Amino acid sequence: MAAATHKQTVLAHLQSVLKKKFPAPPPPAADRPVLEEVVYAILREGATPDQADAAFAKLKDKEVFFDWNEVRVSSVSEVADAVHGLPEAGAKGERLIKFLQEVFEELYGFDLGDIAKKGVKQAAKQLARYKTGVTDFGVAWAVQRALGGHAIPLDHPTVRVLHRLGVIDPETDELEAVRGTLEHFIPKASGPEFTDRMAVFAATVCTEDHPHCESCPMRPDCPYGQEVLAKAKAKEAKPKKPR
Ligand code: SF4
């Protein structure tokens, strides 16, 4: 119970910091069809909203690809080239093509609209069947943005930050249990905003290799950040060997 209360306190502080220090993301696209929302999720996983928006706009540019079928039959390097501003653009290009191929083989088209009529749980299950392109993040994204449900998509940068803050332990916690905890503490209406602001926080402050702990507003709550700073302090205090 004490641990749950601590997590709740840290998450409440995190939400307040994200809201105060990071610009409000543009409102989620309201009318994006399910297929396009899954495509967007593939681009967005591990990237910032700006990076994903730029890549998505390129895929939708008729002068680059006429339609989703043209993306499907393009080479990985052509698609990777179009989304080159994303981290791991090559892997994204490959996943995107495989996802479109799976959908095409099943439906001979690209309309996943029927899935949305089945109710959130059933729709999520159906999306998860497109295994080559749709990850756990993709399913949660579609639930949050296209299916009207409550889910917090968890990509690598989000898990990294939450782990450093001591909210989750990826070694022992199942992804589903982690999401359950987050969904409990973060209201449905705040989910998209939390997801987008976290991506920017992870990309600009709590970066993979060199987190900016010294200036991070989450430092008082963060065991990892305090360890990083203590180590840096100890290194500075170490007397230099005489030459
Ligand atoms: S204090 Fe450091 S490790 Fe902790 S959240 Fe901030 S940047 Fe990340």
Side-chain angles (χ1 to χ4, degrees):
M1 191 64 180
T5 310
H6 175 70
K7 283 179 192 175
Q8 190 166 10
T9 309
V10 175
L11 278 172
H13 185 203
L14 178 62
Q15 286 183 83
S16 142
V17 162
L18 292 177
K19 230 177 185 163
K20 275 190 204 140
K21 307 271 177 189
F22 292 87
D31 53 355
R32 209 178 263 155
V34 177
L35 179 114
E36 295 196 2
E37 206 59 78
V38 176
V39 166
Y40 186 88
I42 292 173
L43 306 175
R44 176 65 174 71
E45 184 168 356
T48 63
D50 283 352
Q51 288 170 326
D53 285 349
F56 189 74
K58 199 81 191 220
L59 294 178
K60 290 281 285 177
D61 182 346
K62 290 240 178 284
E63 289 186 14
V64 183
F65 297 105
F66 180 69
D67 56 15
W68 293 118
N69 196 48
E70 192 177 343
V71 178
R72 176 184 73 90
V73 297
S74 295
S75 68
V76 170
S77 62
E78 283 167 331
V79 179
D81 198 38
V83 301
H84 71 276
L86 295 173
E88 299 178 9
K92 296 264 163 120
E94 193 175 351
R95 260 177 67 198
L96 197 48
I97 291 171
K98 283 182 173 170
F99 166 63
L100 292 171
Q101 182 63 28
E102 267 190 296
V103 174
F104 185 77
E105 279 173 14
E106 189 183 333
L107 304 173
Y108 301 107
F110 299 101
D111 184 0
L112 290 180
D114 279 352
I115 280 186
K117 296 175 193 155
K118 294 177 189 279
V120 179
K121 260 196 182 162
Q122 197 53 31
K125 256 191 197 165
Q126 269 200 251
L127 284 177
R129 285 191 301 119
Y130 297 114
K131 285 195 188 316
T132 55
V134 184
T135 58
D136 176 89
F137 177 93
V139 174
W141 184 276
V143 168
Q144 188 192 64
R145 309 281 169 137
L147 302 173
H150 184 26
I152 303 290
L154 295 168
D155 58 2
H156 174 68
T158 304
V159 169
R160 178 182 73 233
V161 175
L162 294 172
H163 181 209
R164 286 174 175 175
L165 286 167
V167 174
I168 62 171
D169 182 353
E171 297 285 319
T172 54
D173 296 344
E174 296 283 334
L175 212 54
E176 206 147 316
V178 169
R179 201 180 2 264
T181 305
L182 294 174
E183 285 162 15
H184 182 66
F185 293 137
I186 298 165
K188 183 179 168 189
S190 309
E193 208 179 292
F194 173 82
T195 305
D196 284 342
R197 284 181 155 134
M198 267 294 270
V200 180
F201 179 71
T204 58
V205 181
C206 196
T207 55
E208 176 100 54
D209 296 326
H210 303 290
H212 305 288
C213 302
E214 208 153 327
S215 55
C216 175
M218 289 308 295
R219 192 184 46 190
D221 287 322
C222 182
Y224 184 93
Q226 293 189 11
E227 205 182 305
V228 167
L229 292 173
K231 274 188 192 157
K233 214 172 165 186
K235 209 173 162 190
E236 259 175 39
K238 214 174 174 181
K240 288 194 178 121
K241 281 185 188 163
R243 294 187 175 195

